[in-house]
Amino acid sequence: MIEDERLIVFDDEHFMKIALRQAERAAEAGEVPVGAVAVRDGQVIGRAWNQVEMLKDATAHAEILVMTQASAAKSDWRLDDVDIYVTKEPCAMCAGAMVNSRVRRVVYGMADPRAGAAGSALDITGFSGMLHRVEVKGGVLEPECKFIMQDFFRRRRLESQTGKTVCQVNNPELGGNGE
């Protein structure tokens, strides 16, 4: 046995950083920058970003896409041993899909007080009338998640006002290049 053997345990911040990288990919593609990661037994089994515009599909939210990947990876629609990490609190559609898929836990970065359905505006994930309740943890890397969202919409407003493309500001918390 090696004396200096250490067990590496990935925490919520580690997986949220992966979700943030997915959000950066969304922003680069001109999509609202939401990224998501599905984790089972400490392993990433799915990663996605919003692709509504690219796919011309209103349901192509990062959470929906990552749950589809997780179901394929498990060969089962029941995601009761899967945690979903997402940069923004899920909307009603995504929260409902998490309940129906029996996701164990959702961890989000920034709250959405206007339309969030994991406890902010609505609480679909914890509604007592549902057959399943999803454990919720919010606020993980919230400043970084807010930064990418605010920067995206700031650039959108500037582009609309000037008619010129505005370069994306890289988040220094993620190493500056989105990789």
Side-chain angles (χ1 to χ4, degrees):
M1 183 171 157
I2 301 171
E3 286 184 33
D4 195 24
E5 190 173 309
R6 294 184 186 137
L7 180 64
I8 298 172
V9 178
F10 297 117
D11 61 5
D12 290 340
E13 287 189 5
H14 170 79
F15 293 115
M16 188 61 72
K17 285 179 182 175
I18 298 170
L20 274 161
R21 289 187 195 106
Q22 295 298 301
E24 286 184 343
R25 292 182 74 181
E28 290 166 4
E31 298 279 355
V32 173
V34 176
V37 177
V39 176
R40 179 182 185 212
D41 298 327
Q43 300 290 316
V44 174
I45 61 169
R47 55 182 89 208
W49 69 91
N50 273 3
Q51 296 178 35
V52 171
E53 299 299 331
M54 184 186 330
L55 299 177
K56 306 296 184 223
D57 179 357
T59 68
H61 289 196
E63 300 96 309
I64 300 294
L65 298 173
V66 85
M67 285 187 287
T68 299
Q69 291 176 15
S71 293
K74 283 189 62 172
S75 297
D76 192 354
W77 62 268
R78 294 169 196 87
L79 302 178
D80 54 352
D81 58 351
V82 174
D83 297 334
I84 304 294
Y85 293 81
V86 61
T87 56
K88 186 183 79 59
E89 182 179 2
C91 69
M93 174 183 69
C94 294
M98 288 177 187
V99 169
N100 289 338
S101 297
R102 300 183 184 150
V103 167
R104 176 176 52 200
R105 184 170 77 124
V106 61
V107 179
Y108 67 83
M110 65 175 280
D112 183 354
R114 208 176 69 196
S120 289
L122 302 168
D123 191 10
I124 290 173
T125 53
F127 182 65
S128 61
M130 298 293 213
L131 295 175
H132 174 73
R133 290 188 189 174
V134 179
E135 181 185 332
V136 176
K137 179 178 179 181
V140 175
L141 298 181
E142 184 174 20
E144 294 87 342
C145 295
K146 276 185 177 178
F147 175 87
I148 193 167
M149 188 69 69
Q150 290 170 341
D151 182 59
F152 176 81
F153 284 107
R154 179 192 60 78
R155 286 186 297 108
R156 276 287 185 69
R157 284 188 300 276
L158 283 171
E159 288 171 358
S160 154
Q161 292 166 359
T162 65
K164 296 179 183 177
T165 302
V166 179
C167 293
Q168 178 177 347
V169 176
N170 287 313
N171 189 338
E173 295 292 327
L174 296 174
N177 66 359
E179 294 293 311

